[in-house]
Each structure stands twice: as C-alpha cells, then as structure tokens.
Coordinates of all heavy atoms in Angstrom, one line a residue:
M1 N -63.3 21.3 19.5 CA -64.3 22.3 19.5 C -64.5 22.8 18.1 O -63.6 22.8 17.3 CB -63.8 23.5 20.4 CG -62.7 24.4 19.8 SD -62.1 25.7 20.9 CE -60.9 24.8 21.9
D2 N -65.7 23.2 17.8 CA -66.1 23.7 16.5 C -66.2 25.2 16.7 O -67.2 25.7 17.2 CB -67.4 23.1 16.0 CG -67.8 23.5 14.6 OD1 -66.9 24.1 13.9 OD2 -68.9 23.3 14.2
T3 N -65.2 26.0 16.2 CA -65.2 27.4 16.4 C -64.4 28.1 15.3 O -63.9 27.5 14.5 CB -64.7 27.8 17.8 OG1 -64.8 29.2 18.1 CG2 -63.2 27.4 18.0
Q4 N -64.4 29.4 15.4 CA -63.6 30.2 14.4 C -62.1 29.9 14.6 O -61.7 29.5 15.7 CB -63.8 31.7 14.6 CG -65.3 32.1 14.3 CD -65.5 33.5 14.5 OE1 -64.7 34.2 15.2 NE2 -66.6 34.0 14.0
W5 N -61.4 30.0 13.5 CA -60.0 29.5 13.5 C -59.1 30.3 14.4 O -58.2 29.8 15.0 CB -59.4 29.5 12.0 CG -59.0 30.8 11.5 CD1 -59.7 31.8 11.0 CD2 -57.6 31.2 11.3 NE1 -59.0 32.8 10.6 CE2 -57.6 32.5 10.8 CE3 -56.4 30.6 11.6 CZ2 -56.5 33.2 10.5 CZ3 -55.3 31.4 11.3 CH2 -55.3 32.6 10.8
D6 N -59.4 31.6 14.6 CA -58.6 32.4 15.6 C -58.8 31.9 17.0 O -57.9 31.9 17.8 CB -58.8 33.9 15.5 CG -60.3 34.3 15.7 OD1 -61.2 33.5 15.4 OD2 -60.5 35.4 16.2
C7 N -60.0 31.4 17.3 CA -60.2 30.8 18.7 C -59.5 29.5 18.8 O -59.0 29.2 19.9 CB -61.7 30.6 18.9 SG -62.7 32.1 19.0
C8 N -59.4 28.7 17.7 CA -58.6 27.5 17.8 C -57.1 27.8 18.1 O -56.5 27.1 18.9 CB -58.7 26.8 16.4 SG -60.3 26.1 16.1
L9 N -56.6 28.8 17.4 CA -55.2 29.2 17.6 C -54.9 29.7 19.1 O -53.9 29.4 19.7 CB -54.7 30.3 16.6 CG -54.8 29.9 15.2 CD1 -54.4 31.0 14.3 CD2 -54.1 28.6 14.9
K10 N -55.9 30.4 19.6 CA -55.8 30.9 21.0 C -55.8 29.7 21.9 O -55.1 29.7 22.9 CB -56.9 31.9 21.3 CG -56.8 32.5 22.7 CD -57.7 33.6 22.9 CE -57.7 34.3 24.3 NZ -56.8 33.8 25.3
A11 N -56.6 28.7 21.6 CA -56.7 27.5 22.5 C -55.3 26.8 22.5 O -54.9 26.3 23.6 CB -57.8 26.6 22.0
I12 N -54.6 26.8 21.4 CA -53.3 26.2 21.4 C -52.3 27.0 22.2 O -51.5 26.5 23.0 CB -52.7 26.1 19.9 CG1 -53.6 25.1 19.1 CG2 -51.3 25.7 19.9 CD1 -53.3 25.0 17.7
L13 N -52.4 28.4 22.1 CA -51.5 29.2 22.8 C -51.8 29.1 24.3 O -50.8 29.2 25.1 CB -51.7 30.7 22.4 CG -51.1 31.0 21.0 CD1 -51.5 32.5 20.6 CD2 -49.6 30.9 21.0
D14 N -53.0 29.0 24.7 CA -53.4 28.9 26.1 C -53.2 27.5 26.7 O -53.4 27.2 27.9 CB -54.9 29.2 26.3 CG -55.2 30.7 26.0 OD1 -54.2 31.5 25.9 OD2 -56.4 31.0 25.8
G15 N -52.8 26.5 25.8 CA -52.6 25.1 26.3 C -53.9 24.3 26.5 O -53.9 23.2 27.0
R16 N -55.0 24.8 25.9 CA -56.3 24.1 26.0 C -56.4 23.1 24.9 O -57.3 22.2 24.9 CB -57.5 25.0 26.0 CG -57.6 25.9 27.2 CD -58.8 26.9 27.2 NE -58.5 27.9 26.3 CZ -59.3 28.2 25.2 NH1 -60.4 27.6 25.0 NH2 -59.0 29.2 24.4
A17 N -55.6 23.2 23.9 CA -55.6 22.3 22.7 C -54.2 22.0 22.3 O -53.3 22.9 22.4 CB -56.4 22.8 21.6
D18 N -53.9 20.8 21.8 CA -52.6 20.4 21.3 C -52.4 20.8 19.8 O -51.3 21.2 19.4 CB -52.4 18.9 21.4 CG -52.3 18.5 22.9 OD1 -51.9 19.3 23.7 OD2 -52.7 17.4 23.1
L19 N -53.5 20.8 19.0 CA -53.4 21.1 17.6 C -54.8 21.5 17.1 O -55.8 21.4 17.8 CB -52.9 19.9 16.8 CG -53.6 18.6 17.0 CD1 -54.8 18.4 16.0 CD2 -52.6 17.4 16.9
A20 N -54.8 22.0 15.9 CA -56.1 22.5 15.3 C -56.0 22.2 13.8 O -55.0 22.2 13.2 CB -56.2 24.0 15.5
L21 N -57.2 21.9 13.3 CA -57.4 21.7 11.8 C -58.2 23.0 11.4 O -59.3 23.2 11.9 CB -58.2 20.5 11.5 CG -57.5 19.2 11.9 CD1 -58.4 18.0 11.6 CD2 -56.2 19.0 11.2
T22 N -57.5 23.8 10.6 CA -58.2 25.1 10.2 C -58.1 25.3 8.7 O -57.3 24.7 8.1 CB -57.5 26.3 11.0 OG1 -56.2 26.5 10.4 CG2 -57.5 26.1 12.5
A23 N -58.8 26.2 8.2 CA -58.8 26.6 6.8 C -57.7 27.7 6.6 O -57.2 27.9 5.5 CB -60.1 27.1 6.3
G24 N -57.4 28.5 7.7 CA -56.5 29.5 7.6 C -55.1 29.1 8.0 O -54.9 28.2 8.8
Q25 N -54.1 29.8 7.5 CA -52.7 29.5 7.9 C -52.2 30.6 8.8 O -52.2 31.7 8.4 CB -51.8 29.4 6.7 CG -50.4 28.9 7.0 CD -49.5 28.7 5.8 OE1 -49.9 29.1 4.7 NE2 -48.4 28.0 6.0
P26 N -51.8 30.2 10.0 CA -51.4 31.2 11.0 C -50.0 31.7 10.7 O -49.3 31.2 9.8 CB -51.4 30.5 12.3 CG -51.1 29.1 11.9 CD -51.8 28.9 10.6
F27 N -49.5 32.7 11.5 CA -48.2 33.2 11.4 C -47.1 32.1 11.7 O -47.2 31.5 12.7 CB -48.0 34.4 12.4 CG -48.9 35.5 12.2 CD1 -49.9 35.8 13.1 CD2 -48.8 36.3 11.1 CE1 -50.8 36.8 12.9 CE2 -49.7 37.4 10.9 CZ -50.7 37.6 11.8
P28 N -46.2 32.0 10.8 CA -45.2 30.9 10.9 C -44.2 31.2 12.1 O -43.5 30.2 12.5 CB -44.4 30.9 9.6 CG -44.7 32.2 9.0 CD -46.0 32.7 9.5
V29 N -44.1 32.4 12.6 CA -43.2 32.7 13.7 C -43.7 32.0 15.0 O -43.0 31.5 15.8 CB -43.1 34.2 13.9 CG1 -42.4 34.6 15.2 CG2 -42.5 34.9 12.7
T30 N -45.1 31.9 15.1 CA -45.7 31.4 16.4 C -46.0 29.9 16.2 O -45.9 29.2 17.2 CB -46.9 32.2 16.7 OG1 -46.6 33.6 16.8 CG2 -47.5 31.8 18.1
F31 N -46.5 29.5 15.1 CA -47.1 28.2 14.8 C -46.3 27.5 13.7 O -45.8 28.1 12.8 CB -48.6 28.3 14.5 CG -49.4 28.9 15.5 CD1 -49.7 30.2 15.4 CD2 -49.9 28.2 16.6 CE1 -50.5 30.8 16.4 CE2 -50.7 28.8 17.6 CZ -51.0 30.1 17.5
S32 N -46.3 26.2 13.8 CA -45.9 25.4 12.7 C -47.1 24.8 12.0 O -48.0 24.2 12.7 CB -44.9 24.2 13.2 OG -44.6 23.4 12.1
S33 N -47.2 24.9 10.7 CA -48.4 24.4 10.0 C -48.0 23.6 8.8 O -47.0 23.9 8.1 CB -49.4 25.5 9.7 OG -48.8 26.4 8.8
R34 N -48.8 22.7 8.4 CA -48.7 21.9 7.2 C -50.0 21.8 6.5 O -51.0 21.5 7.1 CB -48.1 20.5 7.4 CG -46.9 20.4 8.2 CD -45.7 20.9 7.3 NE -44.4 20.8 8.0 CZ -43.9 21.7 8.8 NH1 -44.5 22.8 9.0 NH2 -42.7 21.6 9.4
M35 N -50.0 22.0 5.1 CA -51.3 21.8 4.4 C -51.6 20.3 4.3 O -50.7 19.5 3.9 CB -51.2 22.3 3.0 CG -52.5 22.2 2.3 SD -52.7 23.2 0.8 CE -51.7 22.2 -0.3
L36 N -52.7 19.9 4.8 CA -53.1 18.5 4.8 C -53.7 18.1 3.4 O -53.5 17.0 2.9 CB -54.1 18.2 5.9 CG -53.5 18.4 7.3 CD1 -54.6 18.1 8.4 CD2 -52.3 17.4 7.5
F37 N -54.6 18.9 2.9 CA -55.3 18.6 1.7 C -55.9 19.8 1.1 O -56.1 20.8 1.8 CB -56.4 17.5 1.8 CG -57.3 17.7 3.0 CD1 -58.5 18.5 2.8 CD2 -57.1 17.2 4.2 CE1 -59.4 18.8 3.8 CE2 -58.0 17.5 5.3 CZ -59.1 18.2 5.1
A38 N -56.2 19.8 -0.1 CA -56.9 21.0 -0.8 C -58.3 20.5 -1.1 O -58.6 19.5 -1.7 CB -56.2 21.3 -2.1
D39 N -59.3 21.3 -0.7 CA -60.7 21.0 -0.9 C -61.1 21.4 -2.3 O -60.6 22.4 -2.9 CB -61.6 21.9 0.0 CG -61.6 21.4 1.4 OD1 -61.2 20.2 1.7 OD2 -62.0 22.2 2.3
E40 N -62.0 20.6 -2.9 CA -62.6 20.9 -4.1 C -64.0 21.4 -3.8 O -64.7 20.9 -2.9 CB -62.7 19.7 -5.1 CG -61.4 19.2 -5.6 CD -61.5 18.1 -6.6 OE1 -62.3 18.3 -7.5 OE2 -60.9 17.1 -6.4
F41 N -64.5 22.4 -4.5 CA -65.8 22.9 -4.3 C -66.6 22.7 -5.5 O -66.1 22.8 -6.6 CB -65.8 24.4 -3.9 CG -65.2 24.7 -2.5 CD1 -63.9 24.8 -2.3 CD2 -66.1 24.7 -1.4 CE1 -63.4 25.1 -1.1 CE2 -65.6 25.0 -0.2 CZ -64.2 25.1 0.0
F42 N -67.9 22.4 -5.3 CA -68.8 22.1 -6.4 C -70.0 23.0 -6.4 O -70.5 23.2 -5.3 CB -69.2 20.6 -6.3 CG -68.1 19.6 -6.4 CD1 -67.4 19.2 -5.3 CD2 -67.7 19.1 -7.6 CE1 -66.4 18.3 -5.4 CE2 -66.7 18.2 -7.7 CZ -66.0 17.8 -6.6
L43 N -70.4 23.4 -7.5 CA -71.7 24.1 -7.6 C -72.8 23.1 -7.8 O -72.7 22.2 -8.7 CB -71.7 25.0 -8.9 CG -73.0 25.7 -9.2 CD1 -73.4 26.6 -8.1 CD2 -73.0 26.4 -10.5
I44 N -73.7 23.1 -6.8 CA -74.8 22.1 -6.9 C -76.1 22.8 -7.0 O -76.4 23.8 -6.3 CB -74.8 21.3 -5.5 CG1 -73.5 20.6 -5.3 CG2 -76.0 20.3 -5.5 CD1 -73.4 19.9 -4.0
C45 N -76.8 22.4 -8.0 CA -78.1 23.0 -8.3 C -79.1 22.0 -8.8 O -78.6 20.9 -9.3 CB -78.0 24.3 -9.2 SG -77.3 23.9 -10.8
H46 N -80.3 22.3 -8.8 CA -81.3 21.4 -9.4 C -81.1 21.2 -10.9 O -80.7 22.2 -11.5 CB -82.8 21.9 -9.1 CG -83.8 20.9 -9.3 ND1 -84.3 20.6 -10.6 CD2 -84.5 20.0 -8.5 CE1 -85.2 19.7 -10.5 NE2 -85.3 19.3 -9.2
R47 N -81.4 20.1 -11.4 CA -81.1 19.8 -12.8 C -81.9 20.7 -13.7 O -81.6 21.0 -14.9 CB -81.4 18.4 -13.2 CG -82.8 18.0 -13.1 CD -83.1 16.5 -13.5 NE -82.5 15.6 -12.6 CZ -81.8 14.5 -12.9 NH1 -81.8 14.1 -14.1 NH2 -81.3 13.8 -12.0
N48 N -83.0 21.3 -13.2 CA -83.8 22.2 -14.0 C -83.4 23.7 -13.9 O -83.9 24.6 -14.6 CB -85.3 22.2 -13.6 CG -85.9 20.8 -13.9 OD1 -85.4 20.1 -14.8 ND2 -86.9 20.4 -13.1
H49 N -82.4 24.0 -13.1 CA -81.9 25.3 -12.9 C -81.1 25.8 -14.2 O -80.5 25.0 -14.8 CB -80.9 25.4 -11.7 CG -80.6 26.8 -11.3 ND1 -79.6 27.5 -12.0 CD2 -81.0 27.6 -10.3 CE1 -79.5 28.7 -11.4 NE2 -80.4 28.8 -10.4
P50 N -81.2 27.0 -14.6 CA -80.6 27.5 -15.8 C -79.0 27.2 -15.8 O -78.5 26.9 -16.9 CB -80.8 29.0 -15.8 CG -82.0 29.2 -15.0 CD -82.0 28.1 -14.0
L51 N -78.4 27.3 -14.7 CA -76.9 27.1 -14.6 C -76.6 25.6 -14.8 O -75.5 25.3 -15.2 CB -76.3 27.6 -13.3 CG -76.4 29.1 -13.1 CD1 -75.8 29.5 -11.7 CD2 -75.7 29.8 -14.2
A52 N -77.5 24.7 -14.6 CA -77.3 23.3 -14.8 C -77.1 22.9 -16.2 O -76.5 21.9 -16.5 CB -78.4 22.5 -14.2
Q53 N -77.6 23.8 -17.1 CA -77.5 23.5 -18.5 C -76.1 24.0 -19.1 O -75.8 23.7 -20.3 CB -78.6 24.2 -19.3 CG -80.0 24.0 -18.7 CD -80.3 22.5 -18.5 OE1 -80.0 21.6 -19.3 NE2 -80.8 22.2 -17.3
R54 N -75.3 24.7 -18.3 CA -74.1 25.3 -18.8 C -72.9 24.3 -18.7 O -72.9 23.5 -17.7 CB -73.8 26.6 -18.0 CG -74.9 27.6 -18.0 CD -74.9 28.4 -19.2 NE -73.6 29.0 -19.5 CZ -73.2 30.2 -19.1 NH1 -73.9 30.9 -18.3 NH2 -72.0 30.6 -19.4
Q55 N -72.0 24.3 -19.6 CA -70.8 23.5 -19.5 C -69.8 24.1 -18.5 O -69.1 23.3 -17.8 CB -70.2 23.5 -20.9 CG -69.4 22.4 -21.4 CD -70.0 21.0 -21.1 OE1 -71.1 20.8 -20.6 NE2 -69.2 20.0 -21.5
S56 N -69.8 25.4 -18.4 CA -68.9 26.1 -17.4 C -69.7 27.3 -16.8 O -70.6 27.8 -17.5 CB -67.6 26.5 -17.9 OG -67.8 27.5 -18.9
V57 N -69.4 27.6 -15.6 CA -70.1 28.7 -14.9 C -69.1 29.7 -14.3 O -68.1 29.2 -13.6 CB -71.0 28.2 -13.8 CG1 -71.7 29.3 -13.1 CG2 -72.0 27.2 -14.4
D58 N -69.3 31.0 -14.5 CA -68.4 32.0 -13.9 C -69.0 32.3 -12.5 O -70.2 32.3 -12.3 CB -68.4 33.2 -14.8 CG -67.4 34.3 -14.3 OD1 -66.3 34.1 -14.7 OD2 -67.9 35.2 -13.5
V59 N -68.1 32.6 -11.6 CA -68.5 33.0 -10.2 C -69.5 34.1 -10.2 O -70.4 34.2 -9.4 CB -67.3 33.3 -9.3 CG1 -67.7 33.8 -7.9 CG2 -66.4 32.1 -9.2
A60 N -69.3 35.1 -11.1 CA -70.2 36.3 -11.2 C -71.6 35.8 -11.5 O -72.6 36.4 -11.0 CB -69.7 37.3 -12.2
E61 N -71.7 34.8 -12.3 CA -73.1 34.2 -12.6 C -73.7 33.6 -11.4 O -74.9 33.7 -11.2 CB -73.0 33.2 -13.7 CG -72.5 33.8 -15.1 CD -72.2 32.7 -16.1 OE1 -71.3 31.9 -15.9 OE2 -73.0 32.6 -17.1
V62 N -72.9 32.9 -10.6 CA -73.5 32.3 -9.4 C -74.0 33.3 -8.4 O -75.0 33.2 -7.8 CB -72.4 31.4 -8.7 CG1 -72.8 30.9 -7.4 CG2 -71.9 30.3 -9.6
A63 N -73.3 34.4 -8.3 CA -73.7 35.5 -7.4 C -75.0 36.1 -7.7 O -75.6 36.8 -6.9 CB -72.6 36.6 -7.4
Q64 N -75.5 35.9 -8.9 CA -76.8 36.5 -9.4 C -78.0 35.6 -8.9 O -79.1 36.0 -9.1 CB -76.9 36.5 -10.9 CG -75.8 37.4 -11.5 CD -75.8 38.8 -11.0 OE1 -76.9 39.5 -11.0 NE2 -74.7 39.4 -10.6
H65 N -77.7 34.5 -8.2 CA -78.8 33.6 -7.7 C -78.7 33.5 -6.2 O -77.6 33.6 -5.6 CB -78.6 32.2 -8.4 CG -78.7 32.3 -9.9 ND1 -79.9 32.2 -10.6 CD2 -77.7 32.4 -10.8 CE1 -79.7 32.3 -11.9 NE2 -78.4 32.4 -12.1
A66 N -79.8 33.1 -5.6 CA -79.9 32.8 -4.2 C -79.1 31.5 -4.0 O -79.3 30.6 -4.7 CB -81.3 32.7 -3.7
F67 N -78.3 31.5 -2.9 CA -77.5 30.3 -2.6 C -77.2 30.2 -1.2 O -77.4 31.1 -0.4 CB -76.2 30.3 -3.4 CG -75.2 31.4 -3.1 CD1 -74.2 31.2 -2.1 CD2 -75.3 32.6 -3.7 CE1 -73.4 32.2 -1.8 CE2 -74.4 33.6 -3.4 CZ -73.4 33.4 -2.4
V68 N -76.9 29.0 -0.7 CA -76.5 28.7 0.6 C -75.0 28.5 0.6 O -74.5 27.8 -0.3 CB -77.2 27.4 1.1 CG1 -76.7 27.1 2.5 CG2 -78.7 27.6 1.1
G69 N -74.3 29.0 1.6 CA -72.8 28.9 1.7 C -72.4 29.0 3.1 O -73.2 29.1 4.0
F70 N -71.1 29.0 3.3 CA -70.5 29.1 4.6 C -69.8 30.5 4.6 O -69.0 30.8 3.7 CB -69.5 28.0 4.9 CG -70.2 26.7 5.2 CD1 -70.5 25.8 4.3 CD2 -70.5 26.4 6.6 CE1 -71.2 24.7 4.6 CE2 -71.1 25.3 6.9 CZ -71.5 24.4 5.9
S71 N -69.9 31.2 5.7 CA -69.2 32.4 6.0 C -67.7 32.1 6.3 O -67.4 31.1 7.0 CB -69.9 33.2 7.1 OG -69.2 34.3 7.4
Q72 N -66.8 33.0 5.8 CA -65.4 32.8 6.1 C -65.1 32.8 7.6 O -65.6 33.7 8.3 CB -64.6 33.9 5.4 CG -63.1 33.7 5.6 CD -62.3 34.7 4.9 OE1 -62.9 35.6 4.3 NE2 -61.0 34.6 5.0
G73 N -64.4 31.8 8.1 CA -64.0 31.7 9.5 C -65.0 31.1 10.4 O -64.8 30.9 11.6
V74 N -66.1 30.6 9.9 CA -67.1 29.9 10.7 C -67.6 28.7 10.0 O -67.5 28.6 8.8 CB -68.3 30.8 11.1 CG1 -67.9 32.0 11.9 CG2 -69.1 31.2 9.9
S75 N -68.2 27.8 10.8 CA -68.7 26.6 10.2 C -70.2 26.6 10.2 O -70.8 25.5 10.2 CB -68.1 25.3 10.8 OG -68.4 25.3 12.2
T76 N -70.8 27.7 10.4 CA -72.3 27.8 10.4 C -72.8 28.3 9.1 O -72.3 29.3 8.6 CB -72.7 28.8 11.5 OG1 -72.2 28.5 12.8 CG2 -74.2 28.9 11.6
P77 N -73.7 27.6 8.4 CA -74.1 28.0 7.1 C -74.8 29.4 7.1 O -75.5 29.7 8.1 CB -75.1 26.9 6.7 CG -75.2 25.9 7.8 CD -74.3 26.4 8.9
I78 N -74.7 30.1 6.0 CA -75.4 31.3 5.8 C -76.4 31.1 4.7 O -76.1 30.3 3.8 CB -74.5 32.5 5.5 CG1 -73.7 32.3 4.3 CG2 -73.7 32.8 6.7 CD1 -72.9 33.5 3.8
N79 N -77.5 31.8 4.6 CA -78.4 31.7 3.4 C -78.9 33.0 3.1 O -78.7 34.0 3.6 CB -79.5 30.7 3.6 CG -79.9 30.3 5.0 OD1 -79.2 30.6 5.9 ND2 -81.1 29.8 5.2

C-alpha cells in the first residue's frame, strides 16, 4: 500500500502487513527496524536558472524560488 508511514505501522500491528519500507523510524520498543539505504537528494533546475550557475547552493536560497517537492509523511507531490 502507498500511504503515510504511521498507517504502514498500524497495518503491521493489525496483522494486515508483514513489513513496511518507510522513511521514518518507529519506536524500538514495538518494532524492529534497520536502515536499508540513505537517499541522496539533488537540486534540479533548468540550465538557464540563476541557481544553475552556482557551484554550491544554500537551502535558504532554494526556498526563495517556486519548487515542487514531497510533503513529509506522504508520497504525493506538493507544488
């Protein structure tokens, strides 16, 4: 199922799922979890964008521009 991570954990508790792949780490008292991999994130912009000319970019600079991203806890894009 593609849903928020807390719904995935509830599905495990309810016996509807055997395991979950999530971005969040649950309480170790209830669940056993292992980090599988670390994601790398990339700033992608058109080559003519002002940030494309920079060698490095600060997150505060990115926030000054319109962008598309994912909301925490969901896999539905926000814009």
Side-chain angles (χ1 to χ4, degrees):
M1 76 180 85
D2 184 13
T3 187
Q4 295 178 344
W5 80 284
D6 59 330
C7 294
C8 292
L9 300 180
K10 185 169 179 358
I12 292 172
L13 290 174
D14 294 346
R16 293 179 287 123
D18 294 328
L19 54 90
L21 298 176
T22 69
Q25 186 174 16
F27 299 109
V29 173
T30 308
F31 300 97
S32 175
S33 64
R34 303 289 181 272
M35 186 168 74
L36 296 178
F37 51 87
D39 287 341
E40 291 187 50
F41 289 88
F42 298 88
L43 173 63
I44 300 172
C45 56
H46 193 278
R47 69 177 66 221
N48 295 332
H49 191 280
L51 294 179
Q53 311 309 315
R54 306 281 308 273
Q55 211 46 2
S56 64
V57 178
D58 187 85
V59 174
E61 294 172 293
V62 174
Q64 300 300 312
H65 299 273
F67 65 92
V68 176
F70 284 89
S71 177
Q72 182 178 2
V74 298
S75 58
T76 306
I78 59 170
N79 23 342

